[in-house]
Amino acid sequence: MTGLSRPEARRGASMADVAKVAGVSSQTVSRVANEKTNVDHATRERVLEAMKEVGYQPNHAARALRTGRFKSIGVIVFTLSTFGNMKTLDAITAAAAEVDHTVTVIRIPDPTRGTVSGAYRRLSEQAVDGVVIIFEAHLLDRAEITLPTDQPVVVVDSNAGDGFTVVDTDQTTGAREATAHLLDLGHETVWHISGPEASFSALHRAQSWAATLSERGITPPPVFVGDWTTDSGYRIGKEIVARGDVTAVFAANDQMALGAMTAFHEAGLQVPGDISVVGFDDMEESKAFWPPLTTVHQDFTEVGRLCIQSLMREIETRTHTPGRTLVPTRLVVRDSTAAPKSAA
Amino acid sequence: MTGLSRPEARRGASMADVAKVAGVSSQTVSRVANEKTNVDHATRERVLEAMKEVGYQPNHAARALRTGRFKSIGVIVFTLSTFGNMKTLDAITAAAAEVDHTVTVIRIPDPTRGTVSGAYRRLSEQAVDGVVIIFEAHLLDRAEITLPTDQPVVVVDSNAGDGFTVVDTDQTTGAREATAHLLDLGHETVWHISGPEASFSALHRAQSWAATLSERGITPPPVFVGDWTTDSGYRIGKEIVARGDVTAVFAANDQMALGAMTAFHEAGLQVPGDISVVGFDDMEESKAFWPPLTTVHQDFTEVGRLCIQSLMREIETRTHTPGRTLVPTRLVVRDSTAAPKSAA
DNA sequence: GTGAAAGCGCTAACAC
DNA sequence: GTGTTAGCGCTTTCAC
């Protein structure tokens, strides 16, 4: 069990150093480093050897200064602690690696006025070739956020203005299917545990839920507003228990669904016997909740992949082609939903 | 609902452009940009105005080339999909933002030979001022991974060699407490669901579990080897049910514990009535599992904070001070553990 | 196939 | 308090 090894420390030999050792011009070293073809085989070998000897390491800054390309893409995100953001970032990172780019994350701690623009500006100071903004933004601040450059930008948020390239999951259809599923099972109405009011994803899901009810002539009951956390779901679950008249709940994410189920269990209610629950996200754990959770699956990997694809196209062609790509969701029916007792 | 706004696109005015408009030297512009004090108030105002007029944006590459500092720290990670890695990255990102640094993530897709070194080398090409390596590495490859520069490095992995600055949670104590808790409850022995063999965290936890049993004169039963996923926990849970003689299980993470509990439920076993379960991690969701999971809490936020703190010190002082910092864990007792029936 | 010269945008060092 | 000079390490251009 050796652990890591650490060879002789040497700092940044330059092309000039290599050139001296190999007895060529630094230009030739550059050609070898960039795998250009017009270098004699013997010369190339000599240069390669010299590189090894002096411990050459390319200097990104110099290269970037010269070429104007950083081979890095920026990701602006408000939190990594939600399942969706984490998954999306993971996918973006993987997709970026495929095209030989790194990912620079800037996490905006508290999306209050000023902070956002400031942090964004900092990132946009050309240390990256393009930016993905994963929005879970507060309504108030959005109007303030301006994108100060002509840098390629992709926004993960189906509510960004028309000037943007947008990638998102099809939240509307997902929420509709979830609600319809419960209604089709025979529930008279469906209650909703939403995400925070400031979140556009939350808004979308809530709107779609309400619309689905309305279309069937059902007046949507009041919304329980959570904050995505298991804790908020638990707290709301207790309120729902206290009401006593709820048979079907659609939670805007799996974590709140989980919290609510815990409150139901504690109150001695059976899921789905006494009350049906649907989530949104389809976390890895959701299939192992008790009972296994019926939920709306989101394909975050695809979202990440499409972000990078769009971004790279904009970067390479230097064109800006606004447009909206919606990644389909699908309802995964498991064991947390059933017909209401009255209908059974 | 306006969405984002996008002002007139303009690309990269330089300091020279600003200088021309403001009627000063570009050096003065630099001074203003860097908030040096020795600039006349009126001049500063003029420069600021000119910056706005021409749409000045600093060029990171040029600055980095000149100063040798990137204001970015690199994070090498094998996956973002585990709870711990994600949390740690989140904390690192937050801590880095505090000291005005961005975080460049490089995700090594498949830690096979060559890939690791290659990816590491790519990152280490001086686009960052220091590196955090979050290790969940395969044994085989570790020997191959060398750190080719004298760049500041912090490793999150209590098994890195002595030449490194190491930050990690105290896995040994955590696993010991978990095992002892079960034993103290009266269980005759404790079975273990481990993480993948290639993982050092998994190895630590398994070793500590075995040692705790041995110290009490108990021969450790065979280990069930999982892969951190809920699915593997579920699969192993079914094996455990089939054995019929297990009363206490310590899983190396919460997700596997969750999967196992699902298998137990399906088999009609009561947790903790028939079988007690302890996890490791203390995910946000764990308190809402059914039953709420007894588990070992890890303070990932602290780990991330310490990583950045150590790294910044090394960067700023240009010294390398190897050392090992262990962040304490603590056992959180909830409802998934109880005395065995025989003892009750 | 190879080299010499120029310059990307910035800041450190020194002049005034 | 401000300007001038030089050069970070690289690549582009143009010679040869």
Side-chain angles (χ1 to χ4, degrees):
Chain A
M1 182 174 320
T2 65
L4 305 174
S5 65
R6 186 155 209 166
E8 198 51 33
R10 266 171 304 197
R11 163 72 66 188
S14 72
M15 284 190 175
D17 300 327
V18 177
K20 210 177 298 170
V21 171
V24 296
S25 75
S26 63
Q27 185 43 232
T28 299
V29 178
S30 170
R31 283 193 261 259
V32 171
N34 291 285
E35 297 175 331
K36 304 279 188 199
T37 49
N38 52 342
V39 182
D40 189 72
H41 182 71
T43 315
R44 153 167 287 122
E45 290 303 310
R46 203 141 34 90
V47 170
L48 256 17
E49 196 133 329
M51 281 181 170
K52 206 168 289 177
E53 188 182 329
V54 302
Y56 170 71
Q57 287 186 236
N59 180 318
H60 254 66
R63 182 172 286 171
L65 177 57
R66 200 54 244 231
T67 62
R69 288 286 218 94
F70 289 82
K71 303 265 248 174
S72 183
I73 79 112
V75 175
I76 300 182
V77 63
F78 290 83
T79 173
L80 293 180
S81 285
T82 66
F83 176 75
N85 285 3
M86 185 266 280
K87 275 300 198 190
T88 306
L89 177 63
D90 196 17
I92 286 172
T93 312
E98 294 270 303
V99 291
D100 195 31
H101 281 232
T102 58
V103 168
T104 299
V105 181
I106 209 165
R107 188 161 144 297
I108 300 183
D110 177 29
T112 49
R113 294 160 174 273
T115 316
V116 173
S117 306
Y120 177 75
R121 182 154 300 116
R122 193 143 38 85
L123 177 58
S124 74
E125 284 171 2
Q126 289 136 297
V128 294
D129 301 313
V131 171
V132 177
I133 303 182
I134 301 178
F135 249 121
E136 185 63 48
H138 290 244
L139 274 164
L140 289 173
D141 307 301
R142 291 172 61 93
E144 283 219 5
I145 301 168
T146 57
L147 306 182
T149 70
D150 61 341
Q151 229 174 11
V153 174
V154 170
V155 180
V156 181
D157 175 343
S158 21
N159 252 80
D162 282 337
F164 294 91
T165 305
V166 173
V167 175
D168 203 357
T169 49
D170 186 358
Q171 322 229 18
T172 301
T173 304
R176 170 174 305 279
E177 286 180 354
T179 310
H181 168 64
L182 257 6
L183 258 17
D184 292 345
L185 245 19
H187 294 274
E188 280 180 18
T189 189
V190 175
W191 294 68
H192 183 53
I193 303 177
S194 79
E197 283 169 349
S199 156
F200 272 92
S201 298
L203 191 64
H204 268 113
R205 294 172 199 177
Q207 283 173 341
S208 184
W209 156 79
T212 307
L213 291 177
S214 298
E215 283 163 18
R216 305 208 184 184
I218 303 164
T219 304
V223 172
F224 292 101
V225 180
D227 63 6
W228 298 134
T229 66
T230 305
D231 286 347
S232 71
Y234 176 73
R235 177 177 50 71
I236 291 167
K238 293 214 279 198
E239 291 181 42
I240 289 174
V241 167
R243 286 195 60 94
D245 61 347
V246 178
T247 67
V249 174
F250 165 44
N253 78 348
D254 285 359
Q255 291 172 67
M256 294 193 295
L258 175 65
M261 290 202 298
T262 301
F264 301 157
H265 288 147
E266 283 186 5
L269 292 178
Q270 296 290 317
V271 177
D274 297 308
I275 188 163
S276 286
V277 178
V278 177
F280 204 111
D281 272 356
D282 196 19
M283 297 167 62
E284 267 94 12
E285 291 80 22
S286 300
K287 69 164 86 70
F289 288 170
W290 195 250
L293 186 68
T294 295
T295 188
V296 178
H297 181 84
Q298 297 199 75
D299 191 348
F300 295 108
T301 304
E302 181 65 5
V303 170
R305 207 183 57 73
L306 287 170
C307 282
I308 293 301
Q309 185 183 300
S310 304
L311 204 51
M312 290 312 296
R313 191 178 44 232
E314 293 206 8
I315 291 168
E316 268 148 26
T317 64
R318 293 161 187 285
T319 58
H320 175 54
T321 50
R324 189 172 297 270
T325 309
L326 250 34
V327 176
T329 51
R330 69 167 197 280
L331 182 71
V332 180
V333 178
R334 291 197 271 247
D335 306 336
S336 65
T337 48
K341 268 188 175 149
S342 56
Chain B
M1 181 171 325
T2 64
L4 306 172
S5 66
R6 186 154 208 167
E8 197 53 31
R10 263 172 307 200
R11 162 83 50 198
S14 71
M15 284 191 174
D17 300 328
V18 177
K20 210 177 298 171
V21 171
V24 296
S25 76
S26 62
Q27 184 48 229
T28 299
V29 178
S30 170
R31 282 193 261 260
V32 172
N34 290 285
E35 296 174 334
K36 304 279 187 198
T37 49
N38 53 343
V39 182
D40 189 72
H41 182 70
T43 314
R44 155 167 285 122
E45 290 302 309
R46 202 143 34 90
V47 169
L48 255 17
E49 196 133 331
M51 280 181 171
K52 205 167 290 177
E53 187 182 329
V54 301
Y56 171 71
Q57 287 186 235
N59 181 319
H60 254 68
R63 182 172 288 173
L65 177 57
R66 194 58 242 228
T67 62
R69 289 286 218 94
F70 288 83
K71 302 265 245 173
S72 183
I73 78 113
V75 176
I76 300 182
V77 62
F78 289 84
T79 172
L80 293 179
S81 286
T82 66
F83 176 75
N85 285 3
M86 187 265 281
K87 276 299 199 190
T88 306
L89 179 63
D90 196 17
I92 286 173
T93 312
E98 295 269 304
V99 289
D100 194 32
H101 281 233
T102 57
V103 168
T104 298
V105 181
I106 212 166
R107 188 164 144 293
I108 298 183
D110 178 30
T112 47
R113 294 159 174 274
T115 317
V116 173
S117 307
Y120 177 77
R121 183 153 300 117
R122 192 141 41 83
L123 178 58
S124 73
E125 285 171 1
Q126 288 135 299
V128 294
D129 301 312
V131 172
V132 177
I133 303 182
I134 301 177
F135 248 120
E136 186 63 48
H138 290 245
L139 274 163
L140 288 174
D141 307 300
R142 291 172 61 95
E144 285 220 3
I145 301 167
T146 56
L147 306 181
T149 70
D150 62 342
Q151 231 175 9
V153 174
V154 171
V155 181
V156 182
D157 175 341
S158 20
N159 251 81
D162 282 338
F164 294 91
T165 305
V166 173
V167 176
D168 202 358
T169 49
D170 186 357
Q171 321 230 17
T172 301
T173 305
R176 171 174 305 279
E177 286 181 354
T179 308
H181 167 64
L182 258 4
L183 258 17
D184 291 344
L185 246 19
H187 293 273
E188 280 182 18
T189 189
V190 175
W191 294 68
H192 183 52
I193 303 178
S194 79
E197 282 169 351
S199 156
F200 273 93
S201 298
L203 191 64
H204 268 114
R205 294 172 199 177
Q207 282 173 341
S208 183
W209 155 80
T212 307
L213 290 177
S214 298
E215 283 162 18
R216 303 205 185 188
I218 302 165
T219 305
V223 171
F224 292 101
V225 180
D227 62 6
W228 299 134
T229 65
T230 304
D231 285 346
S232 70
Y234 175 73
R235 177 176 53 70
I236 291 167
K238 292 214 282 197
E239 291 179 42
I240 289 173
V241 168
R243 287 195 58 93
D245 61 346
V246 178
T247 67
V249 174
F250 165 44
N253 77 348
D254 286 358
Q255 291 172 66
M256 294 193 295
L258 175 65
M261 290 203 297
T262 301
F264 300 157
H265 289 146
E266 283 186 4
L269 294 179
Q270 297 290 316
V271 177
D274 297 307
I275 188 162
S276 287
V277 178
V278 177
F280 204 111
D281 271 357
D282 196 17
M283 298 168 59
E284 267 93 12
E285 292 79 22
S286 301
K287 69 163 87 69
F289 288 169
W290 194 249
L293 186 69
T294 294
T295 187
V296 178
H297 181 85
Q298 297 199 77
D299 191 348
F300 295 109
T301 304
E302 181 65 5
V303 170
R305 206 184 60 72
L306 288 171
C307 281
I308 293 301
Q309 185 183 300
S310 304
L311 205 51
M312 291 311 296
R313 190 179 45 233
E314 293 208 7
I315 291 169
E316 267 148 26
T317 64
R318 292 161 189 285
T319 58
H320 176 54
T321 51
R324 190 172 297 270
T325 309
L326 250 34
V327 176
T329 51
R330 70 168 196 279
L331 182 72
V332 180
V333 177
R334 291 198 272 247
D335 307 336
S336 64
T337 47
K341 267 188 176 150
S342 55

